[in-house]
Amino acid sequence: MISRKFFVAAAGLIVGLGLSVIPAASAEQVYLEQAISEANEAIQAGNAQEPASLIEHIDQSYDRARSAVWQNPTDHIRQGIKLLRKASKVAKGTNSPTRITKAVGFVESAKSHFEAAR
């Protein structure tokens, strides 16, 4: 026979595990949506030829994407993170319109990967 204490403990564990999964899934979506939003801001800043704002939004998008990949490790999010790193390296320390445009291209590709991971 199963004791009453064991049954209550097992039921509590099942309920606790079930509740802990729900916030993790929603947090992953929140981080991913924030990464996409910051990528949009970076694209707008890059198109306006504002390198400081571009880099700031790239870094914010990168941070949000890293948080999202901890919750849901998919290849699309990982690839987007790699592209954001490339964009950051290309854009830092320059005012060159060519390099800024190249960085914006990387950010657009990263954004498409993040949208595919939804």
Side-chain angles (χ1 to χ4, degrees), residues 7 10-11 15 21 30 36 53 62 67 80 83-84 94 98 110:
F7 181 74
V15 170
V21 172
V30 170
I36 292 169
S53 182
Y62 175 79
S67 296
L83 289 165
L84 287 176
T94 187
T98 306

Short mmCIF file of all heavy atoms in Angstrom, two decimals, residues 7 10-11 15 21 30 36 53 62 67 80 83-84 94 98 110:
data_model
loop_
_atom_site.label_atom_id
_atom_site.label_comp_id
_atom_site.label_asym_id
_atom_site.label_seq_id
_atom_site.Cartn_x
_atom_site.Cartn_y
_atom_site.Cartn_z
N PHE A 7 1.86 9.75 -0.99
CA PHE A 7 0.93 10.23 -2.00
C PHE A 7 0.85 11.75 -2.01
O PHE A 7 0.88 12.38 -3.06
CB PHE A 7 -0.47 9.62 -1.75
CG PHE A 7 -1.48 10.05 -2.77
CD1 PHE A 7 -1.46 9.52 -4.05
CD2 PHE A 7 -2.44 11.00 -2.46
CE1 PHE A 7 -2.38 9.92 -4.99
CE2 PHE A 7 -3.36 11.41 -3.40
CZ PHE A 7 -3.33 10.87 -4.67
N ALA A 10 4.13 13.14 -3.42
CA ALA A 10 4.22 12.95 -4.87
C ALA A 10 3.30 13.91 -5.60
O ALA A 10 3.67 14.50 -6.62
CB ALA A 10 3.89 11.51 -5.24
N ALA A 11 2.10 14.11 -5.10
CA ALA A 11 1.15 15.04 -5.72
C ALA A 11 1.70 16.47 -5.67
O ALA A 11 1.59 17.22 -6.64
CB ALA A 11 -0.20 14.96 -5.04
N VAL A 15 2.57 18.81 -8.99
CA VAL A 15 1.98 20.14 -9.14
C VAL A 15 3.08 21.19 -9.20
O VAL A 15 3.05 22.10 -10.03
CB VAL A 15 0.98 20.44 -8.01
CG1 VAL A 15 0.56 21.90 -8.02
CG2 VAL A 15 -0.23 19.54 -8.13
N VAL A 21 7.09 24.91 -15.01
CA VAL A 21 7.30 24.87 -16.44
C VAL A 21 6.58 26.01 -17.14
O VAL A 21 7.08 26.60 -18.08
CB VAL A 21 6.83 23.50 -17.02
CG1 VAL A 21 6.87 23.51 -18.53
CG2 VAL A 21 7.70 22.40 -16.47
N VAL A 30 9.01 36.14 -23.81
CA VAL A 30 9.21 37.55 -23.48
C VAL A 30 10.60 37.98 -23.90
O VAL A 30 10.77 39.02 -24.54
CB VAL A 30 8.98 37.81 -21.98
CG1 VAL A 30 9.41 39.21 -21.59
CG2 VAL A 30 7.52 37.58 -21.62
N ILE A 36 13.72 40.76 -30.49
CA ILE A 36 13.22 41.20 -31.80
C ILE A 36 12.96 42.70 -31.79
O ILE A 36 13.31 43.41 -32.74
CB ILE A 36 11.96 40.41 -32.19
CG1 ILE A 36 12.32 38.94 -32.45
CG2 ILE A 36 11.27 41.01 -33.40
CD1 ILE A 36 11.13 38.01 -32.58
N SER A 53 23.71 54.60 -31.22
CA SER A 53 22.41 54.01 -30.92
C SER A 53 22.31 52.61 -31.51
O SER A 53 21.74 51.70 -30.88
CB SER A 53 21.30 54.90 -31.48
OG SER A 53 20.04 54.38 -31.17
N TYR A 62 21.26 41.42 -28.08
CA TYR A 62 22.15 40.30 -27.77
C TYR A 62 21.89 39.77 -26.36
O TYR A 62 21.76 38.56 -26.15
CB TYR A 62 23.60 40.76 -27.92
CG TYR A 62 24.63 39.74 -27.53
CD1 TYR A 62 24.96 38.70 -28.38
CD2 TYR A 62 25.29 39.81 -26.30
CE1 TYR A 62 25.91 37.76 -28.03
CE2 TYR A 62 26.23 38.89 -25.94
CZ TYR A 62 26.55 37.86 -26.80
OH TYR A 62 27.48 36.93 -26.44
N SER A 67 19.36 35.47 -22.98
CA SER A 67 18.41 35.02 -21.97
C SER A 67 17.39 34.06 -22.57
O SER A 67 17.01 33.07 -21.95
CB SER A 67 17.68 36.22 -21.35
OG SER A 67 18.59 37.06 -20.67
N GLY A 80 21.10 33.62 -34.56
CA GLY A 80 20.84 35.05 -34.41
C GLY A 80 21.84 35.72 -33.49
O GLY A 80 22.30 36.84 -33.75
N LEU A 83 25.05 36.26 -35.36
CA LEU A 83 24.95 37.38 -36.29
C LEU A 83 24.98 38.72 -35.56
O LEU A 83 25.56 39.69 -36.07
CB LEU A 83 23.66 37.25 -37.11
CG LEU A 83 23.69 36.12 -38.15
CD1 LEU A 83 22.29 35.83 -38.65
CD2 LEU A 83 24.61 36.48 -39.30
N LEU A 84 24.41 38.78 -34.37
CA LEU A 84 24.47 40.03 -33.59
C LEU A 84 25.90 40.32 -33.16
O LEU A 84 26.32 41.49 -33.13
CB LEU A 84 23.56 39.95 -32.37
CG LEU A 84 22.06 40.04 -32.66
CD1 LEU A 84 21.28 39.85 -31.36
CD2 LEU A 84 21.70 41.36 -33.31
N THR A 94 33.28 52.92 -35.59
CA THR A 94 33.27 53.43 -36.95
C THR A 94 32.09 54.38 -37.17
O THR A 94 31.09 54.30 -36.48
CB THR A 94 33.18 52.29 -37.99
OG1 THR A 94 33.34 52.83 -39.29
CG2 THR A 94 31.86 51.55 -37.91
N THR A 98 29.31 52.46 -45.01
CA THR A 98 29.39 51.11 -45.57
C THR A 98 29.37 50.07 -44.46
O THR A 98 28.64 49.07 -44.54
CB THR A 98 30.67 50.95 -46.41
OG1 THR A 98 30.71 51.98 -47.39
CG2 THR A 98 30.72 49.59 -47.07
N ALA A 110 19.71 38.41 -38.19
CA ALA A 110 19.48 37.90 -36.84
C ALA A 110 18.01 37.99 -36.48
O ALA A 110 17.44 37.05 -35.90
CB ALA A 110 20.32 38.70 -35.84
#
